[in-house]
């Protein structure tokens, strides 16, 4: 059979056996448990035949299930060969096993020719497979592009939704988290979006390049999936990103501002709590108040507190709450704590107000109690003064009562008794006035009681008052005893003197009778007819005694002159006066005896004259007693006038005195003393002056009148003058009291004004100091802004604030200085309500100016910092924006390039070599400076060094992918559809048949090589190939020419007609491709399913013409 096997022309024939063996070895080289070395033993089990069929139709044989050496392998090969290339089973397995080597060569040649015949079908199947793969890949790339574009846009839409979300958490943590989320977006989502955009562009470019390379229509993505749509979406995303960046940093800055405001609010709250604690301690303290001055001072202190509290509420707390309202308006996250602090302070103020209201009546009570006590002290002092006056009067009267006057006549005794009567009258008057007033005042003082719900007070000098009044009572009793004693003595003096006068009269009568007995009648007549001048009681009594003696004499004369004379003499001689106080008797006893002898009387005719004379003399006596009483009253009137005048002199001096007054309580005390004087004045007028007037009235109205004589006080003008003097003194006192009252009122008003000015200055000073302190603290806490425009805009606020502060300093300084000067003009030298003075307040103002200056310095520093920061940001933007533009520009150039693949690759390499990493490094250095400065937001650009780094990384990745894509495309174009395995097989076969190693094949070597690959060519065909691929007249074919021939033979022939021709081979000329034919030609299952799924059905199969037209249309 070998002689019928020809491989070319006779002259070029090769060893068919060796060529067939080489062909079999090439096809089965990769199969396990199989090594074909010849046509003897290696073919007996049929495993080599199974490997040949499996190599080209793996679906026909499950090679891995075959067992080397098994006869079953032979039948498996027979069945498969029949299906594959329609080889009739003309041998049985037993026949096959019996074939000799040459017969086996002939049988193996059947497989060679059958498989070679099917090579075009296999090539057509492979081309359809590659077409399907290309179509699927292109469709997948389209779908992937569209899905990627939609997914990217959805991603951007979702991100935009988040970026466009202006919802704020109103918390610092929320703001920081959103900033962190934003930066995470910039790092992650934005990077992913840009990476996805880059991948999408690469995918589209790859698809476009594939379509162009395979001469397919350009792909136009649906609306919304175009690269321009994606680029517009990215641009819009970056706009949203910029807006979000601005909004997030604005919110962060707002939260920082709110946190600073809250810190201010908290610090002020702590200061207020400290103030509340101090004031609460003060309001809960019960001061020990022991004087009116203390009470007035504490009330003023409370008033000062109330004013301070009011000013605090109206200024500092109002400003503090306004800050809270700002936090409320800004929906600050810690607003509950802010309001809690405010409610706490409100409760504190309300509690302090209640405590103040509670303290006020207590202090008012303290004042009323101390005023009560002051009144008691004044009453006690008045009681003591009255006691001393009474004691002085008593001392004078004790001296009078204990003095023993020398009495040598009845008149003197009667005068002393009249003086004693005057004393008694004066004592009664003193008892009814001064002593009664003393006891009434004492009773009033002792009974006085102050009692309220807060305190009580009573007289603390009851013992002193009782002691004084007991002393007065004792003295009064003593005076009574002394008066009784003195009266007894004076009565004795009067009786004694009357006795002695009587004796003298008796003696005179006796002597007269004795001397004039003879002339008795004549004398008695003359005597009886004589009216004596009687001007004293003693004279009247004397005349009556004389008349009595005359009567006796007359009686004696009537009976017997001698007997009468002797009787008279006897009476004189026997008369004797003797008491416990004194004793008396007639001393000239011898004279009596001499006179008795000479008595002679004639009394009968004298009786009528005697009776008349007696009546006249008794009238004289009564009149002179009346006159003595008037003299005693006049003496008493003069004495009372002197005392009243002395009291008035003292009060004139008191009313003329202008006491030094420097407190309200001092003024009020002196007003009370003046009121006490007015009361004393009233008592003096209603008692002493009234008694003086009554006594004067008695003197002036007293009158004695009978038929014998009349009498009344002979110096009434003196009495009237004294009373007029008292009345004038009282008018003078009233005027002086009125003047002093007005003066005291003016002093009180002055002191009250001084107190008012002290409090007003204290309030203004406290308010000014508080304003300066608050303003200084606000200045120290000033927020200038977070970027250059904000800081620059703050300049107007700063200037306005400083101007307002200076205005307030000027206005408030003028106010407190005016009050201070007014107070100083009234004599205020110290102020217990404040430690502030104009000098300390000026220092406080300077401290505020210092704080404002420090704020201005801080502002200048912050402005310089922001200017430097802004310069850093601007410099970075000037670096970053061109770099970003550079990347975009070069990406666009590469993406939209229409140059050939090699030119594109060269441009990509040029771009890769020209990546401006040095400029990126400079931008990164600039970013490091920005980061070191603590700058978190760059108003000049959205870009950061991280963004640039990501963009550069993506750009370099883009260049890398583009280069790889281009290189693969170029390489693919070079291979023109040859697989690497086929390429390797071509190279290996060439080297195997290049026996000389010259790198070329001659015609014989080329023919043998082609046979080993399943390509049987004749001599002419071989020479035609050599001339086509090596040049005219060529006798050898170099490797490059050989490779080009093999690529043309095995490579893509993917035009639409060639694909249709391939389908015709597979369907054996039918226009319908059946599933059976697809299985027979070993079309891959995936390809079969794809055609069944995508090709129109027709006549029990599928219309491959319509399918091919559809595939090539996209």
């Amino acid at each position: 059979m070998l002689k019928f096997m020809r491989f070319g022309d006779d002259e070029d024939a090769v060893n068919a056996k060796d060529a067939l063996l080489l062909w079999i070895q090439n096809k089965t080289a990769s199969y396990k448990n199989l090594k074909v070395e010849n046509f003897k033993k290696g073919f007996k089990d049929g495993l080599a035949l199974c490997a040949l069929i499996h190599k080209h139709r793996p679906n026909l044989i499950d090679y891995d299930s075959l067992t080397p050496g098994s006869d079953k392998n032979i039948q498996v090969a027979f069945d498969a060969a029949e299906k594959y290339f329609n080889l009739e089973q003309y041998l049985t397995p037993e026949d096959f096993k019996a074939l000799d080597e040459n017969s086996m060569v002939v049988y193996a040649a059947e497989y060679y020719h059958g498989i070679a015949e099917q090579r075009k079908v296999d090539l057509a199947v492979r081309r359809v497979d590659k077409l399907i793969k290309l179509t699927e890949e292109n469709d997948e790339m389209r779908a992937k592009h569209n899905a990627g574009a939609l997914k990217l846009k959805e991603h951007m839409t979702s991100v935009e939704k988040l970026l466009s979300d202006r919802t704020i958490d109103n918390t610092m943590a929320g703001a920081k988290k959103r900033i962190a989320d934003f930066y995470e977006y910039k790092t992650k989502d934005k990077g992913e979006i840009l990476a996805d955009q880059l991948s999408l562009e690469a995918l589209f470019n790859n698809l476009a390049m594939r379509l162009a390379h395979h001469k397919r229509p350009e792909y136009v993505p649906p609306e919304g999936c175009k690269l321009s749509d994606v680029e517009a979406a990215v641009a819009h995303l970056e706009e949203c990103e910029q807006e979000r960046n601005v909004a997030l940093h604005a919110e962060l800055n707002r939260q920082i501002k709110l946190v600073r405001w809250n810190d201010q609010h908290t610090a002020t709250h702590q200061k207020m709590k400290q103030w509340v604690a101090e004031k609460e301690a003060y309001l809960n303290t019960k001061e020990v108040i022991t004087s009116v001055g203390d009470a007035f001072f504490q009330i003023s202190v409370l008033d000062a507190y109330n004013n301070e509290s009011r000013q605090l509420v109206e200024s500092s707390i109002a400003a503090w709450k306004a800050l809270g309202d700002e936090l409320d308006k800004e929906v600050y996250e810690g607003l509950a704590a802010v309001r809690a602090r405010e409610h706490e302070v409100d409760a504190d103020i309300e509690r302090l107000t209640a405590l103040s209201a509670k303290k006020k009546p207590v202090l008012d009570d303290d004042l009323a109690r101390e005023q009560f006590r002051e009144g008691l002290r004044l009453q006690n002092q008045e009681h003591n003064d009255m006691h001393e006056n009474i004691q002085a009067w008593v001392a004078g009267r004790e001296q009078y009562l204990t003095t023993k006057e020398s009495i040598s006549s009845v008149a003197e005794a009667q005068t002393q008794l009249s003086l004693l009567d005057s004393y008694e009258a004066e004592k009664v008057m003193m008892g009814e006035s001064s002593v009664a007033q003393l006891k009434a005042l004492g009773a009033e003082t002792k009974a006085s009681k102050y009692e309220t719900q807060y305190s009580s007070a009573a007289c603390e000098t009851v013992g002193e008052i009782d002691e004084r009044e007991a002393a007065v009572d004792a003295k009064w009793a003593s005076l009574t005893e002394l008066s009784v004693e003195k009266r007894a003595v004076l009565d004795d003096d009067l009786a004694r003197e009357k006795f002695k006068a009587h004796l003298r009269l008796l003696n005179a009568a006796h002597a007269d009778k004795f001397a004039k007995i003879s002339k008795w009648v004549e004398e008695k007549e003359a005597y009886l007819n004589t009216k004596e001048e009687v001007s004293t009681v003693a004279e009247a009594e004397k005349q009556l005694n004389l008349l009595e003696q005359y009567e006796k004499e007359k009686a004696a004369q009537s009976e017997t002159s001698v007997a009468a004379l002797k009787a008279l003499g006897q009476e004189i001689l026997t008369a004797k006066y003797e008491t416990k106080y004194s004793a008396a008797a007639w001393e000239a006893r011898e004279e009596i005896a001499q006179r008795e002898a000479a008595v002679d009387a004639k009394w009968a005719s004298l009786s009528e004259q005697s009776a008349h004379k007696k009546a006249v003399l008794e009238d004289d006596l009564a009149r002179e007693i009346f006159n003595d009483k008037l003299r005693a009253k006049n003496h008493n009137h003069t004495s009372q006038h002197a005392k009243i005048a002395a009291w008035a002199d003292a009060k004139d001096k008191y009313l003329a005195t202008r006491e030094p007054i420097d407190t309200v309580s001092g003024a009020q005390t002196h007003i009370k003393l003046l009121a006490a004087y007015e009361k004393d004045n009233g008592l003096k007028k209603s008692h002493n002056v009234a008694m003086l007037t009554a006594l004067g009235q008695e003197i002036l109205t007293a009158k004695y009148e009978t038929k014998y004589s009349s009498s009344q006080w002979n110096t009434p003008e003196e009495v009237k003058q004294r009373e007029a003097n008292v009345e004038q003194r009282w008018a003078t006192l009233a005027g002086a009291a009125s003047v002093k009252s007005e003066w005291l009122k003016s002093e009180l008003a002055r002191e009250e004004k001084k107190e008012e000015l002290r409090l007003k200055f204290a309030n203004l000073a406290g308010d000014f100091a508080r304003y300066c302190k608050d303003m200084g603290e606000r200045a120290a806490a000033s927020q200038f802004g977070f970027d250059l425009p904000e800081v620059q805009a703050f300049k107007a606020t700063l200037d306005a604030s400083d101007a307002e502060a200076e205005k307030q300093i000027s206005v408030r300084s003028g106010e407190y200085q005016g009050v201070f000067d007014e107070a100083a003009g009234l004599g205020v030298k110290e102020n217990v309500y404040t430690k502030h003075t104009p000098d300390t307040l000026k220092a406080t103002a300077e401290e505020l100016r210092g704080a404002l200056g420090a704020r201005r310095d801080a502002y200048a520093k912050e402005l310089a910092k922001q200017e430097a920061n802004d310069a850093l940001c601007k410099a970075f933007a000037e670096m970053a924006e061109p770099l970003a533009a550079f990347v975009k520009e070069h990406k666009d150039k590469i993406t939209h390039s229409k140059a050939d693949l090699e030119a594109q690759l060269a441009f990509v390499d040029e771009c890769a070599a020209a990546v401006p990493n040095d400029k990126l490094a400079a931008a990164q250095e600039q970013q490091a400076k920005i980061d070191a400065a603590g700058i978190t937001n760059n108003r000049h650009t959205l870009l950061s060094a991280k963004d640039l780094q990501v963009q550069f990384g993506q750009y370099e990745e883009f260049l890398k992918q583009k280069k790889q894509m281009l290189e693969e495309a170029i390489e693919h174009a070079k291979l023109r559809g040859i697989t690497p395995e086929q390429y390797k097989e071509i190279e290996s076969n060439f080297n195997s048949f290049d026996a000389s190693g010259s790198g070329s094949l001659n015609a014989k070597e080329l023919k043998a090589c082609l046979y080993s690959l399943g390509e049987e060519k004749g001599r002419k065909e071989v020479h035609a190939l050599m001339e086509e691929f090596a040049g005219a007249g060529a006798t050898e074919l170099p490797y490059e020419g050989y490779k080009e021939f093999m690529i043309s033979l095995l490579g893509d022939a993917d035009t639409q007609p060639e694909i249709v021709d391939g389908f015709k081979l597979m369907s054996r000329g039918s226009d319908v491709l059946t599933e059976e034919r697809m299985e027979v030609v070993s079309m891959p299952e995936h390809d079969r399913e794809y055609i069944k799924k995508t090709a129109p059905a027709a006549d029990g199969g599928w219309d491959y013409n319509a399918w091919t037209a559809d595939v090539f249309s996209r």
Side-chain angles (χ1 to χ4, degrees):
M1 296 192 307
L2 286 175
K3 69 178 182 179
F4 295 105
M5 295 180 60
R6 297 176 60 85
F7 299 94
D9 299 325
D10 292 340
E11 64 270 25
D12 296 322
V14 296
N15 187 324
K17 179 180 175 181
D18 291 340
L20 182 61
L21 181 61
L22 181 60
W23 175 78
I24 292 171
Q25 288 175 339
N26 285 338
K27 297 298 181 181
T28 62
S30 61
Y31 284 83
K32 63 181 180 178
N33 301 324
L34 179 63
K35 186 175 182 181
V36 180
E37 295 179 348
N38 53 53
F39 288 101
K40 295 179 181 179
K41 185 177 180 180
F43 270 80
K44 292 299 182 178
D45 62 358
L47 192 61
L49 297 177
C50 289
L52 284 173
I53 295 171
H54 184 269
K55 176 69 174 179
H56 296 90
R57 292 288 186 274
N59 60 312
L60 295 179
I61 293 177
D62 182 6
Y63 184 83
D64 291 335
S65 67
L66 301 178
T67 303
S70 173
D71 293 344
K72 293 180 180 179
N73 299 335
I74 300 171
Q75 187 60 49
V76 170
F78 287 173
D79 293 340
E82 185 176 12
K83 286 182 181 180
Y84 182 19
F85 44 85
N86 204 23
L87 179 63
E88 182 181 354
Q89 295 188 32
Y90 57 85
L91 293 178
T92 64
E94 289 74 16
D95 294 336
F96 177 78
K97 289 170 64 178
L99 292 176
D100 58 15
E101 182 178 6
N102 290 330
S103 298
M104 188 64 73
V105 169
V106 172
Y107 189 79
E110 291 277 12
Y111 277 72
Y112 170 79
H113 286 293
I115 290 172
E117 182 183 354
Q118 291 297 317
R119 188 182 64 78
K120 292 181 180 179
V121 175
D122 290 344
L123 182 58
V125 170
R126 189 169 68 249
R127 285 173 175 170
V128 170
D129 177 68
K130 292 173 71 175
L131 175 62
I132 290 174
K133 184 176 181 181
L134 174 67
T135 302
E136 282 188 316
E137 287 177 351
N138 288 349
D139 288 345
E140 183 181 352
M141 290 173 74
R142 290 186 186 96
K144 186 176 181 181
H145 174 273
N146 295 342
L150 292 175
K151 183 179 179 182
L152 178 56
K153 288 184 69 178
E154 287 176 2
H155 189 181
M156 286 190 286
T157 300
S158 65
V159 169
E160 279 186 19
K161 187 176 180 181
L162 293 175
L163 292 176
S164 300
D165 180 15
R166 293 300 179 262
T167 304
I168 59 175
D169 301 303
N170 281 313
T171 65
M172 175 61 82
K176 288 181 177 178
K177 183 179 183 304
R178 287 179 183 270
I179 286 282
D181 291 345
F182 179 74
Y183 286 128
E184 184 179 358
Y185 147 76
K186 293 265 287 182
T187 303
K188 182 177 179 294
D189 289 79
K190 182 67 179 295
E192 290 176 358
I193 287 170
L194 294 177
D196 289 345
Q197 183 188 16
L198 177 65
S199 298
L200 194 67
E201 290 176 351
L203 179 62
F204 182 84
N205 292 335
N206 190 14
L207 175 60
M209 186 172 63
R210 284 165 62 95
L211 292 174
H213 180 69
H214 290 90
K215 299 178 178 60
R216 299 296 171 82
E218 182 179 352
Y219 175 60
V220 179
E223 196 66 33
C225 296
K226 298 176 182 177
L227 290 182
S228 59
D229 296 334
V230 174
E231 289 175 359
V234 170
H236 185 265
L237 174 67
E238 290 181 341
E239 290 177 6
C240 294
E241 181 183 319
Q242 170 66 6
E243 293 175 2
R244 184 60 169 166
N245 183 46
V246 172
L248 287 175
H249 281 89
E251 173 60 14
L252 178 62
N253 293 342
R254 189 178 75 89
Q255 288 297 329
I256 293 172
K257 177 181 71 175
L258 295 182
V259 167
R260 291 175 181 174
W261 282 0
N262 182 63
D263 291 343
Q264 292 179 38
H265 197 276
T266 302
T268 303
H269 171 258
Q270 291 173 349
K271 292 175 184 176
M272 288 182 181
K273 289 298 290 182
Q274 183 178 359
W275 181 86
V276 166
E278 293 173 357
K279 299 309 178 183
E280 190 165 10
Y282 155 66
L283 292 172
N284 282 320
T285 299
K286 178 63 185 80
E287 296 83 1
V288 177
I289 294 177
T290 57
S291 70
V292 173
D294 288 346
F296 270 117
F297 173 73
Q298 291 301 331
I299 288 174
S300 297
V301 170
L302 182 62
D303 290 340
Y305 156 75
N306 287 330
N307 189 66
E308 180 184 0
S309 177
R310 177 184 58 76
Q311 289 180 343
L312 187 70
V313 169
E314 292 175 355
S315 58
S316 298
I317 293 181
W320 181 60
K321 286 188 174 182
L323 182 60
D325 290 341
E326 287 298 320
L327 289 169
D328 189 355
K329 188 187 299 180
E330 294 290 336
V331 198
Y332 173 58
E333 61 176 308
L335 183 63
V338 172
R339 291 311 190 199
R341 289 194 292 268
E342 292 177 353
H343 291 326
E344 183 181 0
V345 170
D346 285 342
D348 289 340
I349 294 298
E350 185 176 349
R351 186 172 68 259
L352 292 180
T353 301
L355 288 174
S356 175
K358 183 179 178 182
K359 191 179 185 75
K360 182 63 165 65
V362 174
L363 292 177
D364 288 341
D365 176 75
D366 288 336
L367 176 60
R369 186 190 67 248
E370 293 308 316
Q371 287 175 331
F372 170 79
R373 286 177 173 169
E374 184 70 19
L376 289 183
R377 285 191 286 272
L378 291 173
Q379 286 181 326
N380 183 63
Q381 183 61 45
E382 184 180 0
H383 191 274
N384 186 65
D385 292 342
M386 293 173 69
H387 171 259
E388 290 179 353
N389 291 335
I390 291 172
Q391 288 292 66
W393 182 86
V394 168
R397 298 307 173 265
E398 280 182 332
Q399 183 178 5
Y400 158 69
L401 291 173
T402 56
T403 298
K404 180 63 182 80
E405 297 84 358
S406 176
I407 305 297
S408 59
S409 68
V410 172
E412 288 179 352
Q414 289 176 330
T415 297
Q416 290 302 323
L417 281 169
S418 295
L419 290 175
L420 183 59
D421 288 340
S422 296
Y423 152 75
E424 290 291 354
E426 184 182 3
K427 179 171 178 282
V428 170
M429 181 184 70
M430 284 294 290
E432 292 175 352
S433 59
S434 297
V435 175
Q437 291 173 17
L438 177 74
K439 291 193 173 183
L441 181 59
E444 178 186 349
T445 303
K446 290 189 293 180
S448 294
K449 187 174 183 182
Y450 180 86
E451 188 167 6
T452 66
Q453 66 185 96
Y454 305 108
S455 63
S456 61
C459 180
E460 299 172 353
T461 58
V462 172
E464 295 178 15
I465 292 171
D466 288 343
E467 184 178 348
R468 287 194 290 267
E469 292 181 359
V472 169
D473 289 342
K475 288 293 185 180
W476 225 246
S478 174
L479 288 177
T480 301
E481 292 176 0
L482 290 174
S483 177
V484 169
E485 183 71 18
K486 189 174 185 77
R487 183 170 292 281
V489 171
L490 290 177
D491 285 345
D492 176 73
D493 286 339
L494 177 59
R496 187 191 68 245
E497 292 305 317
K498 283 183 177 181
F499 170 76
K500 290 171 70 178
H502 179 63
L503 287 180
R504 283 191 293 273
L505 289 172
L506 289 176
N507 178 64
H510 192 272
D512 184 60
K513 290 175 180 179
F514 179 78
K516 298 178 181 178
I517 190 69
S518 59
K519 298 179 180 179
W520 187 83
V521 173
E522 292 87 358
E523 290 176 357
K524 297 308 176 190
E525 287 179 344
Y527 159 69
L528 292 172
N529 289 319
T530 299
K531 178 60 182 80
E532 298 83 358
E533 290 295 328
V534 176
S535 59
T536 66
V537 172
E539 186 65 29
E541 288 176 341
K542 176 182 177 183
Q543 292 302 324
L544 283 170
N545 283 331
L546 289 175
L547 181 59
E548 182 182 354
Q549 294 307 315
Y550 158 75
E551 290 293 343
K552 289 180 180 179
E553 182 183 0
K554 177 187 173 194
Q557 286 292 347
S558 299
E559 296 176 359
T560 176
S561 299
V562 175
L565 181 64
K566 287 182 178 180
L568 180 56
Q570 187 59 32
E571 182 181 355
I572 292 171
L573 292 173
T574 59
K576 184 177 181 181
Y577 181 84
E578 186 173 8
T579 68
K580 64 179 178 178
Y581 303 108
S582 62
W586 182 249
E587 297 152 350
R589 300 177 68 85
E590 69 280 358
E591 293 178 358
I592 300 303
Q594 293 173 0
R595 284 192 296 270
E596 286 180 356
V599 175
D600 188 21
K602 292 186 344 178
W603 310 113
S605 63
L606 297 175
S607 295
E608 185 177 347
Q609 292 179 17
S610 176
H612 174 73
K613 190 173 184 74
K614 183 177 181 182
V616 172
L617 289 175
E618 287 176 347
D619 177 71
D620 288 337
L621 177 60
R623 187 188 68 248
E624 291 310 316
I625 290 173
F626 168 79
N627 287 336
D628 276 351
K629 289 181 178 180
L630 284 183
R631 280 190 290 273
K633 287 181 178 181
N634 183 65
H635 175 76
N636 194 9
H637 192 274
T638 302
S639 176
Q640 288 188 38
H641 172 265
K643 291 176 182 176
I644 290 172
W647 181 88
D649 289 341
K651 298 311 175 185
D652 272 337
K653 183 177 180 182
Y654 157 69
L655 293 174
T657 299
R658 295 296 178 261
E659 297 84 353
I661 294 175
D662 58 1
T663 64
V664 172
S665 60
Q668 290 176 330
T669 297
H670 283 290
I671 287 175
K672 288 181 180 179
L673 289 174
L674 181 61
Y677 154 76
E678 294 285 4
K679 183 178 178 182
D680 189 24
N681 179 285
L683 290 173
K684 286 291 182 184
K685 188 172 183 180
S686 62
H687 289 80
N688 300 61
V689 176
M691 290 178 64
L692 179 70
T693 303
L695 183 58
Q697 188 64 20
E698 287 181 19
I699 295 172
L700 294 176
T701 59
K703 187 176 182 180
Y704 180 85
E705 188 170 6
T706 66
K707 63 180 179 178
Y708 302 110
S709 65
S710 63
S711 181
Q712 59 186 36
W713 186 246
N714 59 350
T715 58
E717 292 306 321
E718 293 179 1
V719 174
K720 292 177 181 179
Q721 183 60 42
R722 285 194 294 271
E723 292 182 358
N725 177 263
V726 169
E727 186 176 349
Q728 179 61 40
R729 293 299 296 276
W730 238 251
T732 301
L733 288 175
S738 176
V739 171
K740 182 153 189 166
S741 176
E742 291 303 317
W743 175 76
L744 287 175
K745 288 177 182 177
S746 68
E747 287 296 293
L748 176 60
R750 183 171 64 86
E751 291 304 320
E752 287 176 338
K753 184 64 177 179
K754 286 164 65 177
E755 197 73 359
E756 175 191 340
L757 292 173
R758 287 188 185 99
L759 287 170
K760 188 173 181 181
F761 176 80
N763 292 332
L764 289 172
D767 188 44
F768 180 78
R770 191 160 40 252
Y771 166 78
C772 290
K773 182 180 179 183
D774 292 346
M775 187 61 193
E777 291 174 352
R778 286 198 295 272
S782 293
Q783 300 180 54
F784 305 126
F786 297 93
D787 57 23
L788 182 59
E790 288 184 4
V791 174
Q792 288 173 332
F794 188 80
K795 179 65 164 57
T797 302
L798 182 67
D799 292 340
S801 176
D802 286 356
E804 177 62 21
E806 281 299 331
K807 177 183 176 183
Q808 289 295 325
I809 290 173
S810 176
V811 171
R812 294 171 184 249
S813 297
E815 289 177 348
Y816 75 67
Q817 188 65 54
V819 172
F820 182 85
D821 292 342
E822 184 180 358
L826 292 176
V828 175
K829 295 181 180 178
E830 59 183 20
N831 192 338
V832 296
Y833 303 113
T834 181
K835 296 179 180 179
H836 293 299
T837 66
D839 289 339
T840 64
L841 293 175
K842 286 177 183 176
T844 300
E846 287 306 313
E847 290 176 2
L848 173 56
R849 289 190 176 98
L852 295 176
R855 177 174 69 171
R856 192 165 284 277
D857 292 342
Y859 171 78
K861 184 177 179 181
E862 181 64 21
L863 179 61
K865 172 187 170 184
Q866 290 296 338
E867 288 174 340
N869 289 351
D870 197 68
L872 288 175
C873 292
K874 188 174 181 181
F876 175 81
E878 290 172 349
M879 296 178 181
E881 292 295 338
L883 288 176
F886 170 87
V887 170
K888 186 177 186 307
E889 177 187 352
H890 285 72
K891 278 178 60 180
D892 289 345
K893 283 184 179 179
I894 293 170
T895 298
H896 300 102
S897 175
K898 299 297 182 182
D900 58 50
L901 297 178
E902 286 75 7
Q904 290 187 47
L905 180 60
F907 184 68
V908 168
D909 289 337
E910 179 186 336
C911 289
V915 174
N917 288 313
D918 55 337
K919 294 182 179 180
L920 174 63
Q924 288 173 328
E925 289 179 7
Q926 188 69 10
Q927 181 70 56
K929 294 177 182 178
I930 290 173
D931 295 339
I935 303 169
T936 59
N937 185 38
N938 189 339
R939 70 189 182 99
H940 296 287
T941 181
L942 271 176
L943 297 168
S944 66
K946 183 68 175 178
D947 295 331
L948 291 176
Q949 186 176 352
V950 169
Q951 287 189 15
F952 268 61
Q954 291 173 344
Y955 177 59
E956 289 176 337
E957 181 63 24
F958 168 78
L959 293 175
K960 180 180 177 183
Q961 290 181 10
K962 189 69 175 178
K963 179 177 181 179
Q964 181 180 350
M965 189 190 312
L966 289 169
E967 287 175 343
E968 289 176 356
I970 291 171
E971 187 63 26
H972 185 272
K974 288 179 180 179
L975 291 176
R976 295 196 293 280
I978 297 298
T979 65
E981 291 81 5
Q982 290 175 315
Y983 198 97
K984 185 177 181 182
E985 185 179 355
I986 290 170
E987 184 178 9
S988 176
N989 285 339
F990 179 85
N991 291 332
S992 296
F993 287 95
D994 181 18
S996 63
S998 64
S1000 299
L1001 296 178
N1002 57 31
K1004 185 178 180 180
E1005 290 172 335
L1006 176 59
K1007 185 174 182 181
C1009 179
L1010 291 175
Y1011 183 82
S1012 71
L1013 293 173
E1015 287 291 328
E1016 186 177 355
K1017 300 288 182 182
R1019 180 178 61 79
K1020 292 181 179 178
E1021 290 176 309
V1022 169
H1023 282 291
L1025 287 174
M1026 292 182 71
E1027 286 191 353
E1028 181 181 357
F1029 292 99
T1035 59
E1036 291 187 349
L1037 181 67
Y1039 175 72
E1040 288 299 323
Y1042 173 75
K1043 184 175 70 174
E1044 283 298 315
F1045 163 70
M1046 292 304 297
I1047 288 174
S1048 66
L1049 180 67
L1050 301 176
D1052 287 336
D1054 58 356
T1055 64
Q1056 185 174 345
E1058 290 172 335
I1059 294 297
V1060 170
D1061 289 343
F1063 273 119
K1064 284 186 179 298
L1065 286 173
M1066 287 185 276
S1067 64
R1068 292 182 177 176
S1070 174
D1071 289 332
V1072 175
L1073 183 65
T1074 64
E1075 185 168 3
E1076 180 184 2
R1077 288 307 302 163
M1078 288 189 284
E1079 289 179 356
V1080 168
V1081 298
S1082 287
M1083 182 178 285
E1085 182 179 358
H1086 172 77
D1087 294 350
R1088 297 200 307 271
E1089 292 300 322
Y1090 182 80
I1091 290 174
K1092 287 157 63 175
K1093 182 178 179 182
T1094 59
D1099 299 331
W1102 289 269
D1103 184 352
Y1104 59 80
N1105 287 292
W1107 180 85
T1108 303
D1110 176 61
V1111 167
F1112 273 86
S1113 69
R1114 63 181 191 273

